Amino acid sequence: MESLDRRKAWLKEASSLQRRFNVAWWYQELSIPLALLGLVGGSAALVLRRYQLEIGASFWITIGLVLLGLGFTAWLRARRHCLTRESALVRLEADLALNNALTTAEAGRGSWPPFERRDKIARWRWGQLAFPMMGALSFFLLGVMVPIAPAMNETIENQPYTWSRLESEVEELVNEEVIDEEYAGDLKKRLDELREQETGEWFSAASLEATDSLEQAHSREMNRLERDLLQVEQALRKAADPSATEARRQKMKQQFQEAVEGMRNGQMKPNEDLMKKLSKAAKEGMDGMSEEERKQMQDNLRKLAEKLKEQGRQPGDGDEGGGEGEGEPGPPRPGKGEPERGPGAGGDLFGVEVPLIDLEKFEHLEGKDDKEPEPGDLLNLEKIEHDVDRTKVGPAQSGSAKSKGLGGDRVWKDALDPDEQKSLKSFFESSSP
Amino acid sequence: MEYATEAQVAEAQSQINRLSEALNQVLFGQEPLIEFVLNGILARGHILLEGLPGLGKTELVKGLSKTLVLESKRVQFTPDLLPGDITGNPLLQEKDGKREFVFQPGPLFANIVLADEINRASPKTQSALLEAMQEHRVTVLGETHELPKPFFVLATQNPIELEGTYPLPEAQLDRFLFKLDVRKNSVGALEKIVNQRELGVEPVVNAVLGKSHLEEVIKTVRKVYLPGVVANYIARLVDATHAGGSSAAKAVKFGASPRAALSLASASKARAVMNGRTNASFEDVRHIAPAVLRHRMVLDYSARIDGATTDSVIESLLEEVPFQTSETPRPLASTKKP
């Protein structure tokens, strides 16, 4: 019985050691891939967030699957190092100096030694254990949580200013319930069409022209709506004047109906509630309105017109000077052209009227200063003759020599200095028979 | 296969203890040496004792033969000793009117042979011991004669640096189970010798163990269980003595033979019985490894120049070769070296 208890205790201790070793091997094989996964996962999260893509379930599932795969691979790699229960017993008896008593007892060749609770023979190194995991986790959390400016923001800030201004204007008008949402939607749609171009084309002449055109149309619509609102308000006010004649009232009714009709047909409409009331009033010929309702509507119309007027004013802009100046109209001037083409060949340079350039009448300029010639200047003209060898050369008989040996004679007489000539002459004299 | 029981081992251990006590009364201050000699006897091996003259080598062997009640003979090896002087010679004798050769057994025909100063004999005479030590028999003029059982050779030799010595050939060295260094006595041991001994007077030694008892103990030793992991450790240790087998073996020119592995196993079993265990262990192997391996390894010349000795190489080997092959993973810190 005692032997059984000892056996049980030792085998339990061996299993514990075996488990610790095998987990440690598995973790050792996993640690480097885990750190890499943290790095790659964190980087992927950064990229996704940078481009404002959602870190959704698919991302987490992918990370989870990769983690599972890495865990499985690490287990496969760790298997070759794994301890069996027998080898754990051997390690126990070796470390505790038990003279192989455990192996012997397990083989049935001896009795189990008494079990004593001893210190663990293999302790966890928490530094080794925590470093890869904390590293992986840190990389990953950095990727997921670190504040980052989305890449799209830069693109938005680099778009033409008019686009964002138009958007914000219309958004404000809708928020203040000045205009109908339908117009805002149309305008946004057209702006999105412009944005859908290649980013490099956003500032092209065609894009800017389209933007100008859109801005002008928007401005016209605002002016028209403002005018119509004021016209309706005026019609209401004048029709309610007790001193007004019947004919005057009828005229105001007609003016009211025309203005309402104009609003209904225009692209930019007032808010839906007001439009319904105005349509109803136009249908009933302004008779169904009480005095109080009329005044309230008048106030409402004035406020809306005022807001439209304010919105149409550019920040920092004063009113543009209307009409022409007092001076006499000048001659027609060349346009500035599109940005890509550059300015045209205008006749007015720095305010001075110059004749237009005729490309067919170009003439060459000649440098007159011979002492400081420019590259390419013609310096001199001279008539010369080619140095042609005019020696008569004809057929010669073989074996005959024309040269009389005068060449050598010329050399020693002309090329040598007097001392050399003298010594050479004496040599030939002495050597001749 | 039948294995030794704990009762058998306990009985054997008590006999050995008595033997050890008796020897310790003869030889003072040499307890470790006596332990190894007994270990070698129980493992049925021959023992080579090396040490300077006068340290008690011969005394030990004589004491052993007396305690074991075994027939012992002593051969003083000299340069002019011939093989026939130790194996025995055929003598021409007249018998019944006829002359015939009759074999006259030499001093090898005893249970314990003390080969004193074995390295003073010529290699030819040394080689005459080979057959006797390995096969427990001698062949003279084509006739083979069995030696008595048990048969042990306990040889002593002077350090080879001394004058008039011939180094033993490697083949013969391999036949010795242990090579033991006999160290000088401590001051306390010398004092005890002076007090209890007299020059020229043999100490009285009591017989402790009969031949049959010795054979019984040896039988128990042979039945000791050698776990597979220990056998594996022995194999790895012997393999590591060869060049390329370990970093410590860089200094080794020739490593240990398979006979060394068998010797380690046998001596480990004997040590287990001496310690009252039914199994041999890693610790047994580690304890006896220097005595088993030191005369079986030949060191490289350059390593010897660098001051390496077989003992230092064996120490490095024991440090380098772990008890088992499983490594410790990095996240775990092993409190002890396996």
Side-chain angles (χ1 to χ4, degrees), chain A residues 242-302:
Chain A
S243 61
T245 59
E246 188 58 29
R248 179 88 177 155
R249 283 204 182 95
Q250 286 304 322
K251 193 180 175 184
M252 288 301 110
K253 275 184 186 176
Q254 193 180 352
Q255 187 183 336
F256 181 85
Q257 284 169 343
E258 283 173 1
V260 170
E261 191 61 25
M263 277 190 248
R264 193 184 294 132
N265 294 333
Q267 287 182 350
M268 186 187 281
K269 298 181 180 66
N271 70 69
E272 196 176 352
D273 186 43
L274 179 67
M275 194 65 220
K276 278 182 185 171
K277 285 179 182 173
L278 288 173
S279 298
K280 187 183 172 191
K283 205 172 180 181
E284 293 171 354
M286 297 193 293
D287 294 336
M289 296 171 75
S290 64
E291 184 66 18
E292 193 178 344
E293 284 175 341
R294 185 181 57 77
K295 280 186 179 175
Q296 191 179 358
M297 183 168 281
Q298 274 180 260
D299 288 345
N300 204 3
L301 289 169
R302 270 199 300 275

Side-chain angles (χ1 to χ4, degrees), chain A residues 28 91 95 99-100 123 125, chain B residues 281-282 326 330-331 333 336:
Chain A
Q28 181 174 321
R91 190 168 269 274
D95 284 9
N99 280 304
N100 296 87
R123 296 174 186 282
R125 282 177 170 167
Chain B
S281 69
F282 294 136
S326 66
R330 281 197 301 274
K336 289 183 180 177

Side-chain angles (χ1 to χ4, degrees), chain A residues 225-235 301-302 305:
Chain A
L225 183 61
E226 181 193 347
R227 193 178 62 240
D228 286 348
L229 288 170
L230 289 174
Q231 204 170 352
V232 169
E233 190 273 337
Q234 191 182 26
L301 289 169
R302 270 199 300 275

Side-chain angles (χ1 to χ4, degrees), chain B residues 25-315:
Chain B
Q25 286 175 2
V26 179
L27 207 65
F28 301 129
Q30 297 283 11
E31 288 83 3
L33 179 69
I34 290 169
E35 183 197 334
F36 268 105
V37 168
L38 288 180
N39 195 334
I41 294 291
L42 296 175
R44 292 161 291 123
H46 310 291
I47 298 167
L48 178 63
L49 301 163
E50 186 177 276
L52 292 168
L55 289 178
K57 300 187 289 287
T58 312
E59 203 65 39
L60 171 66
V61 177
K62 281 160 66 178
L64 186 68
S65 64
K66 286 177 184 172
T67 51
L68 287 175
V69 199
L70 294 174
E71 186 188 359
S72 67
K73 285 182 180 168
R74 175 182 171 177
V75 186
Q76 182 67 45
F77 279 57
T78 54
D80 58 351
L81 191 73
L82 294 173
D85 296 338
I86 58 169
T87 57
N89 283 311
L91 295 178
L92 193 61
Q93 288 186 349
E94 191 171 331
K95 196 176 181 182
D96 302 331
K98 290 170 70 179
R99 286 185 171 182
E100 60 180 11
F101 282 105
V102 177
F103 180 70
Q104 186 67 34
L108 277 184
F109 286 82
N111 295 115
I112 298 178
V113 176
L114 170 59
D116 217 357
E117 297 186 295
I118 190 172
N119 58 339
R120 287 205 181 277
S122 65
K124 186 179 177 183
T125 310
Q126 289 175 6
S127 300
L129 276 173
L130 276 177
E131 187 187 9
M133 290 171 71
Q134 181 62 33
E135 297 170 32
H136 294 188
R137 64 187 183 189
V138 291
T139 304
V140 179
L141 288 177
E143 194 177 340
T144 302
H145 305 275
E146 290 291 329
L147 295 174
K149 289 182 181 174
F151 177 74
F152 304 108
V153 174
L154 280 83
T156 68
Q157 74 168 4
N158 299 322
I160 57 169
E161 291 82 8
L162 293 185
E163 288 293 329
T165 57
Y166 299 92
L168 292 176
E170 281 78 16
Q172 185 165 0
L173 280 173
D174 200 25
R175 262 71 177 180
F176 285 102
L177 177 75
F178 289 160
K179 180 187 174 190
L180 303 174
D181 287 331
V182 184
R183 308 281 163 83
K184 72 178 182 67
N185 299 99
S186 64
V187 174
L190 281 173
E191 189 182 350
K192 201 172 178 182
I193 291 169
V194 170
N195 284 331
Q196 299 192 10
R197 291 285 168 77
E198 198 176 340
L199 193 65
V201 179
E202 289 277 319
V204 179
V205 182
N206 298 323
V208 175
L209 209 61
K211 187 177 174 183
S212 59
H213 286 105
L214 177 66
E215 284 174 345
E216 197 64 33
V217 173
I218 289 174
K219 198 175 166 188
T220 303
V221 167
R222 294 180 69 182
K223 290 196 290 183
V224 164
Y225 174 62
L226 181 77
V229 286
V230 179
N232 176 263
Y233 177 58
I234 290 172
R236 283 186 289 112
L237 193 61
V238 171
D239 182 63
T241 61
H242 292 266
S246 63
S247 60
K250 282 177 187 168
V252 179
K253 192 174 178 186
F254 301 113
S257 63
R259 193 180 282 116
L262 289 173
S263 301
L264 280 171
S266 185
S268 302
K269 287 180 179 181
R271 188 172 183 270
V273 173
M274 290 170 76
N275 287 292
R277 278 184 278 111
T278 57
N279 67 287
S281 69
F282 294 136
E283 287 79 2
D284 293 329
V285 177
R286 188 183 277 259
H287 185 76
I288 57 160
V292 173
L293 296 175
R294 66 164 65 100
H295 56 293
R296 290 184 159 97
M297 292 161 59
V298 179
L299 293 191
D300 193 49
Y301 179 73
S302 58
R304 278 186 288 165
I305 294 293
D306 292 340
T309 60
T310 46
D311 278 3
S312 67
V313 171
I314 291 166
E315 196 178 333

Side-chain angles (χ1 to χ4, degrees), chain A residues 20-21 24-25 27-28 83 87 90-91 94-95 97 99-100 104 107 109-111 120-125 128-129, chain B residues 3 6 225 227 229-230 277-283 323-324 326-336 338:
Chain A
R20 206 174 317 134
F21 261 71
W25 273 115
Y27 185 73
Q28 181 174 321
L83 280 188
S87 49
V90 174
R91 190 168 269 274
D95 284 9
N99 280 304
N100 296 87
T104 306
R109 309 293 176 213
S111 56
K120 299 280 185 192
I121 63 167
R123 296 174 186 282
W124 289 107
R125 282 177 170 167
Q128 287 270 349
L129 204 64
Chain B
Y3 290 100
E6 290 181 0
Y225 174 62
V229 286
V230 179
R277 278 184 278 111
T278 57
N279 67 287
S281 69
F282 294 136
E283 287 79 2
F323 285 160
Q324 57 170 1
S326 66
E327 298 170 47
T328 305
R330 281 197 301 274
L332 283 181
S334 187
T335 50
K336 289 183 180 177

